[in-house]
Amino acid sequence: MPLAVTRHLLIGALITTAVLRDAAAQLPFTVTIVDWQRDVAAGQGRAYRGEPSGREVLYCVESWKTVSGDGQYNRIIIESVRKARTGKSENIRDVGAACVGSKGEPLPMFHTHSDGNCQFSPTDLVTVVARRAPFEGVQCGDHYFIWAFAWQVLAIANSVEMAQLKWRAFAGVNAFWILR
């Protein structure tokens, strides 16, 4: 690669890094990354492959640690999990009391979607908020997970509600003029 092209790519990468760093500094919240200890991740991948398809499986996160980044992010590292139970179909009911710590606090949990669907269902999201565990997840492949936090779900729900209230207020004020 010619030196001029390399220099331009390097300058572009430095500018992009600076812009992204500055943009991240403006976030109104700390970004949280959920990660795994390597051996625990490998074991969870084997467990996922070993389960029959068509059934959700619930797992409890029994230990994890949080490592603070540079003030912009936190990294949660999962250190151990246990299988809580297997559902009879693509659904597990009454999960609220399944993953509870020794002091009665809700432990993080995740369940599998054997069809590869990597989305929380509406019921899953209600559970995330109701339990208020440190984090909740869905495993949708050997090494594919999504994670949610109660504050995120509440923020989205509140934002949608506010938008609906504003629309209703706008429609109510303007209904007189529309009907004329």
Side-chain angles (χ1 to χ4, degrees):
M1 189 178 290
L3 183 58
V5 173
T6 304
R7 183 179 301 142
H8 286 17
L9 288 174
L10 178 60
I11 291 170
L14 291 172
I15 290 171
T16 302
T17 302
V19 168
L20 291 176
R21 185 187 68 234
D22 290 344
Q26 297 174 14
L27 291 175
F29 55 86
T30 302
V31 173
T32 302
I33 301 164
V34 180
D35 200 358
W36 293 75
Q37 280 186 350
R38 188 177 302 241
D39 58 329
V40 178
Q44 188 57 40
R46 285 190 302 275
Y48 181 85
R49 286 188 303 275
E51 290 293 336
S53 64
R55 298 183 182 275
E56 288 189 0
V57 181
L58 180 68
Y59 293 89
C60 303
V61 178
E62 294 197 309
S63 71
W64 69 96
K65 66 181 175 185
T66 303
V67 179
S68 293
D70 58 3
Q72 303 301 315
Y73 72 94
N74 289 327
R75 182 172 168 230
I76 295 172
I77 303 170
I78 297 173
E79 299 175 320
S80 69
V81 300
R82 72 172 162 81
K83 180 178 175 179
R85 68 176 194 247
T86 302
K88 294 181 181 177
S89 63
E90 283 291 344
N91 194 346
I92 297 179
R93 299 211 182 274
D94 304 319
V95 298
C99 296
V100 179
S102 60
K103 298 176 186 170
E105 75 281 7
L107 294 174
M109 65 182 185
F110 63 94
H111 63 280
T112 61
H113 284 179
S114 63
D115 63 357
N117 176 0
C118 222
Q119 294 182 344
F120 284 94
S121 70
T123 303
D124 294 339
L125 294 172
V126 168
T127 300
V128 168
V129 172
R131 293 188 73 244
R132 296 202 183 251
F135 55 96
E136 305 274 349
V138 172
Q139 182 178 8
C140 49
D142 293 7
H143 303 287
Y144 300 101
F145 296 82
I146 58 169
W147 302 99
F149 306 86
W151 72 265
Q152 287 176 328
V153 178
L154 286 171
I156 292 167
N158 287 336
S159 178
V160 169
E161 181 64 23
M162 290 302 294
Q164 289 177 343
L165 288 173
K166 287 178 184 177
W167 173 249
R168 287 185 200 126
F170 172 79
V173 168
N174 292 307
F176 174 75
W177 300 109
I178 293 169
L179 294 175
R180 268 182 107 194

